[in-house]
Amino acid sequence: MIDLNGIRAIAFDADDTLWDCQSHYEAVENQLYGLISPYCHDPKQELFRTESANMADMGYGCKAFTISVLETALRVAGDHLSAAQLADLLAVSKSLLQLPATPLDGVEETLQRLAQTDYTLAVFTKGELQDQENKLKRSGLGRFFSHVEITSDKTEREFRALCGHLGIAPAELLMVGNSLRSDIAPALAIGAAAVYVPFHVTWQLEHTEEIEHERMVRIGRITELLNLLKIS
């Protein structure tokens, strides 16, 4: 069993940990695939190729995704698509800026219980600043967190910086998230503990091999975090 006795701060990923995000993105992706599939062998791979090429310059978030979607449509099928089709694709992509950010089942209950403890609660997520701030506001969960950090990436460097901002040692941090690549692996690498809460869909750029580690545990529902921390 994972030892969480020395934990002082708990950091939560946002998208697909606190609220559903990726399924909304997949709806847009499916619209793109429907438009370009007659003109390429693997539409999913075409979008992945574009997003991978754009990542270093654009990072993560709705705006980068929208540009990659339109770029893919134009590159693969531009001569075959009408202005109306491209306008519809743009509109549905921009609608992601207003996705509901409704808390996932058990999230609000779990945060409410944790907020009554001595743990410092933080949001630690990557993406575009205004988009992530707006989703946190719409979710209604902001009241539970004393620290919010939105970063362009989540590597060991950003995790160490988070610990510095929270005034704790890495061993005193518990990271909770749905991405093995972004939430779990870098946290473990600096000596933190991690709780992996898989989501039913995962962005292709976040796919990685499974991880087994003495400082990591996998749970099926976020409410199980309370049992791990022995909160009755």
Side-chain angles (χ1 to χ4, degrees), residues 16 20-24 26 104 178 197-203:
D16 301 319
D20 178 7
C21 179
Q22 185 58 31
S23 64
H24 295 277
E26 287 202 345
L104 292 170
N178 71 292
V197 193
F199 193 59
H200 66 277
V201 289
T202 303
W203 187 26

Side-chain angles (χ1 to χ4, degrees), residues 29-210:
E29 291 172 357
N30 289 333
Q31 182 165 332
L32 169 68
Y33 301 156
L35 289 175
I36 68 173
S37 58
Y39 312 105
C40 65
H41 174 68
D42 187 344
K44 186 174 183 178
Q45 188 60 31
E46 292 295 339
L47 177 59
F48 179 70
R49 172 185 163 191
T50 307
E51 289 187 298
S52 298
N54 288 340
M55 187 60 61
D57 292 328
M58 299 183 189
Y60 303 84
C62 176
K63 295 172 186 177
F65 175 75
T66 297
I67 291 173
S68 291
V69 164
L70 291 173
E71 182 181 335
T72 303
L74 290 168
R75 175 172 57 80
V76 174
D79 292 340
H80 303 279
L81 301 179
S82 68
Q85 287 174 310
L86 291 171
D88 285 345
L89 192 58
L90 174 61
V92 72
S93 298
K94 287 179 66 176
S95 72
L96 295 172
L97 291 169
Q98 299 298 326
L99 67 83
T102 303
L104 292 170
D105 186 39
V107 165
E108 191 162 4
E109 169 194 344
T110 300
L111 293 176
Q112 195 163 27
R113 299 277 294 282
L114 289 173
Q116 298 169 6
T117 69
D118 292 331
Y119 293 114
T120 297
L121 303 185
V123 172
F124 183 49
T125 191
K126 64 185 179 183
E128 196 275 325
L129 178 62
Q130 185 172 359
D131 184 26
Q132 294 296 74
E133 287 179 339
N134 287 341
K135 280 187 283 190
L136 183 58
K137 289 177 184 176
R138 289 197 299 274
S139 74
L141 300 176
R143 67 190 188 277
F144 297 120
F145 299 101
S146 59
H147 183 84
V148 176
E149 197 156 325
I150 300 166
T151 181
S152 60
D153 204 354
K154 285 199 288 196
T155 67
E156 293 177 37
R157 182 182 65 181
E158 285 80 19
F159 269 92
R160 290 188 187 280
L162 173 66
C163 291
H165 300 156
L166 294 173
I168 61 171
E172 297 172 315
L173 174 68
L174 173 64
M175 180 67 202
V176 181
N178 71 292
S179 171
L180 289 171
R181 179 184 294 275
S182 294
D183 301 323
I184 307 304
L188 295 174
I190 69 164
V195 172
Y196 174 45
V197 193
F199 193 59
H200 66 277
V201 289
T202 303
W203 187 26
Q204 191 173 359
L205 286 172
E206 293 291 347
H207 288 177
T208 191
E209 296 180 1
E210 289 291 323

